[in-house]
Amino acid sequence: MSELLFAAAAGLPMAAGWSLHALRLRRRIETARRDPLTGLFTRDAFAERAMKVLAGGPSAVYVVDLDRFKEINDTYGHAAGDADIAATGRRLAEWADINAGTVVRLGGDEFAAVARVFSHADLSWTLVELTRAIEQPVTVDGRPLTVGASVGAVAYDPRADDVALSTLLRLADEQMYAAKRSGADWLTALDLTPQAGTVNNRRVGRPGTAGGTEAAA
């Protein structure tokens, strides 16, 4: 009996060591799945969650691009720009939690989200709440800074539609760009047919396409 107790006691440090190692590994994996500035999920992690939201019932996909962000960066410095990005990430995460959704930073000052909606009126309400949250001033060094946002959205119902997440993001992106060009806070796609052509799998006019340019944020 004493030998068994001794063996068990000897194994405790090893078990504790493995538990600590597993905990550290999980934390590293979780850190790798998040954007370091905003804490939002990276694209792969977002895609996993987004597809679950879309499969769960009527939803909407959103693409958000900040307005006047470059002006803040140029005028007040990158620290102020980073503060705006971080604040936007937090606000989008809170909005997504309320609307049973998920959000990602696509890069720079652009974000995407997927959240549940139950009607066109509900979609309009979520867009109003989304833009209102983003446009709240961010205080940096005692100075309130305000950025706007251009938002594109597309509704999706798995009971009637069978469209890939990438296509829905493209549709929302088209509407975001149209909103930015027209000065509207947000626009929604009327159907699930992309309107703009693509180059290298990106909307024509986006940075990264051959000869493409895009209106400054």
Side-chain angles (χ1 to χ4, degrees):
M1 184 65 178
S2 60
E3 292 178 355
L4 290 174
L5 290 175
F6 176 79
L12 286 176
M14 182 177 296
W18 276 110
S19 297
L20 182 60
H21 174 73
L23 178 61
R24 288 174 175 170
L25 182 60
R26 284 197 298 270
R27 286 177 177 173
R28 287 177 183 173
I29 293 172
E30 183 65 16
T31 298
R33 289 164 65 86
R34 290 186 180 272
D35 173 60
L37 181 57
T38 63
L40 299 176
F41 285 116
T42 56
R43 290 179 184 240
D44 289 344
F46 164 76
E48 293 175 11
R49 288 160 176 77
M51 288 187 287
K52 290 179 181 178
V53 175
L54 292 171
S59 312
V61 176
Y62 309 79
V63 170
V64 180
D65 191 83
L66 300 185
D67 300 327
R68 300 186 298 277
F69 175 73
K70 185 176 185 300
E71 177 184 327
I72 287 177
N73 243 356
D74 291 346
T75 303
Y76 302 105
H78 290 291
D82 286 351
D84 266 318
I85 293 294
T88 299
R90 288 193 301 270
R91 292 166 179 177
L92 284 171
E94 292 170 0
W95 172 89
D97 285 342
I98 292 171
N99 292 282
T102 185
V103 62
V104 64
R105 181 187 179 198
L106 295 175
D109 60 343
E110 189 172 73
F111 301 81
V114 176
R116 296 296 303 276
V117 296
F118 302 99
S119 66
H120 286 293
D122 189 29
L123 175 57
S124 296
W125 181 84
T126 61
L127 283 161
V128 169
E129 290 299 303
L130 178 61
T131 54
R132 182 181 298 166
I134 293 172
E135 291 173 356
Q136 294 297 314
V138 177
T139 301
V140 180
D141 295 331
R143 181 189 297 109
L145 303 177
T146 302
V147 297
S150 298
V151 184
V154 56
Y156 175 80
D157 188 341
R159 298 169 299 185
D161 307 315
D162 184 15
V163 180
L165 174 61
S166 58
T167 300
L168 295 170
L169 286 168
R170 176 182 166 191
L171 288 162
D173 180 70
E174 289 179 1
Q175 295 304 310
M176 179 279 292
Y177 184 57
K180 186 177 287 289
R181 294 189 66 177
S182 67
D185 286 338
W186 48 266
L187 290 173
T188 60
L190 298 178
D191 57 46
L192 298 180
T193 304
Q195 301 300 312
T198 60
V199 176
N200 300 328
N201 294 318
R202 295 171 67 82
R203 171 176 45 77
V204 170
R206 262 190 168 281
T209 59
T213 58
E214 187 173 66

